[in-house]
Amino acid sequence: MAPKLTIGTVERTLMPLPSLQKIFGIGPLGALISLVLLAVAAWIDRFAGFGAISGHVLALRLAGGLLVLLGLGLHSWSFLTLRDWWRNDRLCTRGPFRYVRHPMYAAWISLIVPGVVLILNRWAFVFGMVALHPVWHVLVRREEGAMARIFGETYRSYAAQTGRFLPRLKRRLLE
């Protein structure tokens, strides 16, 4: 029997997602594509030699390390917050999900990967990193479509109020 979702007085039958998709979403595919993009950047750097971002290696490594730590913290917070979705099939709109729809992916593409790029201190990786955002925007569309099918107007309303990977600052500033 399919799980039920109650929103106010309306009860809906949920279309269950395969358990691995429910747990990991598009994360594994996105990680693979991200690693390929960064490998291509490394290959290009090896042959083209774009050079270092800066001669201030220690400062870049410290800043990069801080970004990686912040990203791992956001990823962990998101993971712990998602338990309602995994256990009870509830749309998660609290914790970091209050601000962005995909905080786990955002942690990687907006904090961890840029941190690693700063630590590596090579321009070629900057180009690879910049290419990640559009790739992930395309990848999450399938996941967002599944969430809209499962949670209907509740998800669409939530999506209209939150950013995909970055908070919607204009709305937050008005609150």
Side-chain angles (χ1 to χ4, degrees), residues 47-87:
F47 292 103
F50 284 106
I53 296 169
S54 171
H56 301 286
V57 177
L58 180 60
L60 284 182
R61 287 189 177 157
L62 288 172
L66 179 62
L67 285 176
V68 168
L69 288 174
L70 289 170
L72 291 174
L74 176 58
H75 191 272
S76 299
W77 182 28
S78 304
F79 187 82
L80 293 171
T81 305
L82 263 181
R83 287 181 293 191
D84 272 354
W85 159 242
W86 290 327
R87 291 183 186 162

Side-chain angles (χ1 to χ4, degrees), residues 78 82 91-93 96-106 137 140-141 143-144 147 155-168:
S78 304
L82 263 181
L91 179 62
C92 189
T93 60
F97 294 88
R98 181 175 178 222
Y99 305 103
V100 293
R101 297 188 303 274
H102 305 284
M104 292 171 95
Y105 306 148
H137 278 279
V140 299
R141 286 186 182 150
E143 195 170 291
E144 289 181 340
M147 298 301 284
Y155 182 77
R156 285 187 279 281
S157 175
Y158 165 70
Q161 295 173 22
T162 56
R164 186 175 273 158
F165 298 123
L166 299 171
R168 292 211 170 143

Side-chain angles (χ1 to χ4, degrees), residues 9-10 19 58 81 98 105 122 130 134 139 147 156 173:
T9 59
V10 178
S19 59
L58 180 60
T81 305
R98 181 175 178 222
Y105 306 148
R122 303 296 295 177
V130 169
L139 289 174
M147 298 301 284
R156 285 187 279 281
L173 292 175

Side-chain angles (χ1 to χ4, degrees), residues 24-35:
F24 296 110
I26 52 94
L29 176 61
L32 177 65
I33 292 171
S34 299
L35 289 174

Side-chain angles (χ1 to χ4, degrees), residues 106-158:
W108 285 95
I109 64 174
S110 299
L111 294 168
I112 296 170
V113 170
V116 170
V117 167
L118 290 177
I119 291 167
L120 294 174
N121 192 20
R122 303 296 295 177
W123 276 110
F125 290 107
V126 172
F127 302 126
M129 175 190 70
V130 169
L132 286 179
H133 265 272
V135 166
W136 278 86
H137 278 279
V138 169
L139 289 174
V140 299
R141 286 186 182 150
R142 177 190 293 164
E143 195 170 291
E144 289 181 340
M147 298 301 284
R149 283 190 303 280
I150 292 169
F151 295 107
E153 188 53 42
T154 302
Y155 182 77
R156 285 187 279 281
S157 175
Y158 165 70

